[in-house]
Amino acid sequence: MAERYEYKVLELREKMVGGKMSGDELEETLNRHAAEGWRLKAITSADVKGRLGPGGVAGLLVTLERVTG
């Protein structure tokens, strides 16, 4: 039987990481999820919708994957 996977997408907005994209903050986020069994699948730069207003802010979409079961 083939392995099954589940995925998680994190929206990291510039304002969520101190107003500037920080390698240290991204590394901490990835390591925290890796401790739960997630591994990095992809990182995409994107305009991420904010909670207020129609505009987007610079950010990253981080896709994580882990084996289920």
Side-chain angles (χ1 to χ4, degrees), residues 8-51:
K8 179 187 283 194
V9 177
L10 306 175
E11 296 177 355
L12 300 179
R13 291 185 278 287
E14 193 171 278
K15 291 181 181 178
M16 291 178 67
V17 288
K20 180 182 175 195
M21 286 294 164
S22 163
D24 291 340
E25 292 286 339
L26 179 57
E27 183 177 323
E28 181 181 317
T29 299
L30 292 174
N31 284 331
R32 187 172 63 248
H33 284 85
E36 297 173 2
W38 294 99
R39 68 179 181 183
L40 178 63
K41 183 72 174 173
I43 295 180
T44 306
S45 176
D47 285 339
V48 179
K49 294 276 185 194
R51 293 186 187 210

